[in-house]
Amino acid sequence: MQTDALQPHPSTRQPHSLIASDRVESTPVRRSDGSKVGTIQRLMIDKLSGNVAYAVLRFGGFLGMGQKHLPIPWSRLRYDRALGAYQIDLTDEELRRAPSFATDQEFDWGDRSQEIELHNFYKTPPYWGAY
Amino acid sequence: MQTDALQPHPSTRQPHSLIASDRVESTPVRRSDGSKVGTIQRLMIDKLSGNVAYAVLRFGGFLGMGQKHLPIPWSRLRYDRALGAYQIDLTDEELRRAPSFATDQEFDWGDRSQEIELHNFYKTPPYWGAY
């Protein structure tokens, strides 16, 4: 008996609007020219609002930099079907300057001033509303 | 040189407000009496708004029911430190009736009428705003 099972009703079907967290994790991030910037490691979720605040990008140790993690505001990422990746156009110089943390550190700031700095860097409005 | 590395500033430190997606995945869900209901399988994220819409609960095949997945509105889950689990008080009867889908199906409705039914069941306002 699966009377309560949820089946798609073809008549009311809309474009997919949901994506699974474990599908975002390990998705590559590329520039629009196809060059790889890194891979999504995890999402950081604001517990109170339930907003996805950041995608944490694992950055692969090129440009003379070691491995590090870059939190990127979720609103800055667009999935590009042709690239098969999230797309963000950051220059090498921007990648060098981007707010980051070491891979062996846990990202859990609890420090709004750093989050403001980060949103300024990416020129996006903050996920928690106004400054 | 880690001049741009983000370090916590003790003076401006706030209570942690962010949680990692891969930490939520595999977290148990229990009733307030400690009995286990299931385990979080993944989060479903609304692509447009960046809201976490649902936690998908893997339900372990008791109560004479096979394994199935229950999408639970994120706003209905509270992490309970003492339980070491997300806490939700659903009776056996409610678990039988709760909207669910088979474990071998992908949860990706694109069907708002089913989502309304689900939010009615859990008596929560919808993540997309008003009906």
Side-chain angles (χ1 to χ4, degrees):
Chain A
M1 273 221 325
Q2 283 261 354
T3 49
D4 290 320
L6 295 160
Q7 300 295 336
H9 301 167
S11 57
T12 54
R13 202 155 171 78
Q14 296 168 347
H16 306 176
S17 61
L18 299 176
I19 187 159
S21 54
D22 53 350
R23 209 161 146 189
V24 179
E25 294 156 12
S26 82
T27 299
V29 176
R30 296 180 184 276
R31 299 191 180 104
S32 49
D33 65 5
S35 61
K36 190 168 173 181
V37 178
T39 306
I40 303 281
Q41 180 84 354
R42 59 178 58 94
L43 301 173
M44 297 305 298
I45 293 150
D46 182 44
K47 286 188 238 179
L48 270 181
S49 65
N51 279 317
V52 178
Y54 305 105
V56 175
L57 175 80
R58 193 179 52 222
F59 174 79
F62 55 101
L63 302 178
M65 294 183 279
Q67 280 232 339
K68 57 182 187 176
H69 283 172
L70 277 69
I72 299 180
W74 174 249
S75 57
R76 275 291 262 116
L77 291 173
R78 292 281 169 270
Y79 188 76
D80 185 311
R81 209 173 282 268
L83 287 174
Y86 287 95
Q87 186 252 308
I88 193 166
D89 279 314
L90 291 173
T91 65
D92 289 357
E93 180 50 33
E94 284 169 327
L95 277 172
R96 280 198 189 86
R97 285 191 301 110
S100 67
F101 57 101
T103 47
D104 57 353
Q105 264 190 325
E106 215 175 330
F107 170 56
D108 182 16
W109 297 336
D111 177 353
R112 199 114 283 177
S113 66
Q114 291 191 59
E115 298 197 76
I116 291 175
E117 198 179 312
L118 179 67
H119 283 78
N120 284 340
F121 181 86
Y122 286 102
K123 300 184 179 65
T124 47
Y127 62 88
W128 62 87
Y131 287 145
Chain B
M1 270 222 327
Q2 282 263 353
T3 48
D4 289 321
L6 295 159
Q7 300 295 337
H9 301 169
S11 56
T12 53
R13 203 156 170 77
Q14 296 168 348
H16 307 176
S17 60
L18 299 175
I19 186 158
S21 54
D22 54 348
R23 206 161 150 186
V24 178
E25 294 156 9
S26 82
T27 300
V29 176
R30 297 180 183 276
R31 298 192 181 103
S32 48
D33 67 4
S35 60
K36 189 169 172 179
V37 177
T39 306
I40 304 282
Q41 180 83 354
R42 59 178 57 94
L43 301 174
M44 297 304 299
I45 294 150
D46 182 44
K47 285 187 238 177
L48 269 181
S49 66
N51 278 318
V52 178
Y54 305 106
V56 175
L57 176 78
R58 192 177 55 221
F59 174 78
F62 57 98
L63 302 177
M65 294 183 280
Q67 280 230 341
K68 57 182 186 177
H69 283 172
L70 278 68
I72 299 180
W74 175 250
S75 57
R76 274 292 261 116
L77 292 173
R78 292 278 169 273
Y79 188 77
D80 184 311
R81 209 172 282 268
L83 287 174
Y86 286 96
Q87 187 251 308
I88 194 166
D89 279 316
L90 292 172
T91 65
D92 289 356
E93 180 50 31
E94 284 170 326
L95 277 173
R96 280 198 190 85
R97 286 191 300 110
S100 67
F101 57 102
T103 47
D104 57 355
Q105 266 189 321
E106 215 176 327
F107 171 55
D108 181 16
W109 297 336
D111 177 353
R112 199 116 279 179
S113 67
Q114 292 191 61
E115 297 198 76
I116 292 175
E117 199 180 309
L118 177 70
H119 283 78
N120 284 340
F121 181 86
Y122 286 102
K123 300 183 178 68
T124 45
Y127 63 87
W128 61 86
Y131 288 144

